Amino acid sequence: MTETAASLARFVTPPTVPVDARGDWPAGEAALGTRLPGDYRHLVAAYGWGEFCDYLRLHTPFGTSRYNGLAWQSGRLSGTAERDRERYPYPLHPAPGGLLIWGGTIDADRLCWLTTGTPDRWPVVVWSRDGRYETHPMGTSAFIEEWARGRVSSRLLADMEPGPAPWFTAFRPRLHRCLRLTEGPLDHERRLAILRDALAPTVDRGTWRSEQGDAGQDHFATVGTDWLLTYDMARPHQIRISFPPEDAPEAGRRLFAAVRRMRCEVTRISASRGEALPAWGAVATEDTPRET
């Protein structure tokens, strides 16, 4: 593993089972018409397809999902670099010195390599959704680590939220459920503590509170089982959870036990798009598991 990829792996724990992390590198590079940077190959092997800190997305050349891959990103410009140099300062790969996209953000910005010189020296270019660009003279692994440490100066990217330790979420098939609860006698912070204790061990994924303190969300994940949760202060308050389909019985058992400890009752079970379900084990229309 390259030193930059190893440094990132020490800072942000890779998933136990990375998604779309293995494949035929020579065939993938042949399809793109270029060799890819060594640190990117190590990055893909360690993390696979997924998202850093719910913001920066890493694509891989492998797998069958239409949302992943590098080859599909050879799009067409709504103009030409020659005639609109301010809007398109760089050509797109496979043009010489073109941009090759290796990731993105939740805000629809593109993360690219500027393919000039040897692949291991390609800099990162942020190509924003509104057509602005900035170049960062470092490779993929170093760029991700510097951003996660809050050391990337960018006019285009959001900052890493201070507080939680950085994390990586593998894009794997998940089911999504929402439990709406009765208020109960306990306050929000006490209920949250009970919920996290019932699902322990857990790690923070960020917190939001309104200025008045009467609305907010607490995001966290379970360690080992890879369940992603949001506890919402909305009235009525609710728990949103996503989990691998095979974990549905265990997730339901532990979640309903937690609700009882919180001294609440479940008044409604729904899928992520609002479809009401008669029971936890019921199948929702959307339950072709989504990668998220």
Side-chain angles (χ1 to χ4, degrees), residues 117-226:
T118 61
D120 288 335
R121 303 182 72 85
W122 288 347
V124 169
V125 172
V126 179
W127 177 9
S128 76
R129 63 180 178 179
D130 57 357
R132 293 182 293 163
Y133 301 79
E134 60 184 22
T135 303
H136 298 268
M138 61 189 80
T140 311
S141 298
F143 174 80
I144 293 171
E145 181 175 351
E146 291 297 290
W147 175 83
R149 289 185 182 276
R151 299 197 300 227
V152 165
S153 177
S154 174
R155 298 172 291 103
L156 306 180
L157 299 178
D159 294 330
M160 168 63 184
E161 181 180 349
W167 68 92
F168 182 85
T169 302
F171 284 163
R172 57 189 298 189
R174 297 179 188 273
L175 297 180
H176 300 255
R177 292 293 183 265
C178 178
L179 303 185
R180 184 177 295 174
L181 310 179
T182 58
E183 194 64 24
L186 306 178
D187 64 23
H188 175 82
E189 297 306 323
R190 179 59 182 149
R191 293 191 304 251
L192 174 63
I194 292 171
L195 176 61
R196 294 192 62 163
D197 180 70
L199 301 177
T202 65
V203 290
D204 289 336
R205 291 291 187 262
T207 296
W208 170 80
R209 292 287 185 274
S210 66
E211 290 184 4
Q212 295 75 24
D214 58 349
Q217 295 177 331
D218 296 276
H219 308 284
F220 61 96
T222 59
V223 176
T225 52
D226 195 25

Side-chain angles (χ1 to χ4, degrees), residues 227-245:
W227 304 344
L228 309 178
L229 293 102
T230 294
Y231 186 30
D232 198 325
M233 292 176 68
R235 295 179 184 273
H237 60 119
Q238 56 192 11
I239 302 169
R240 288 183 280 129
I241 180 172
S242 70
F243 50 87

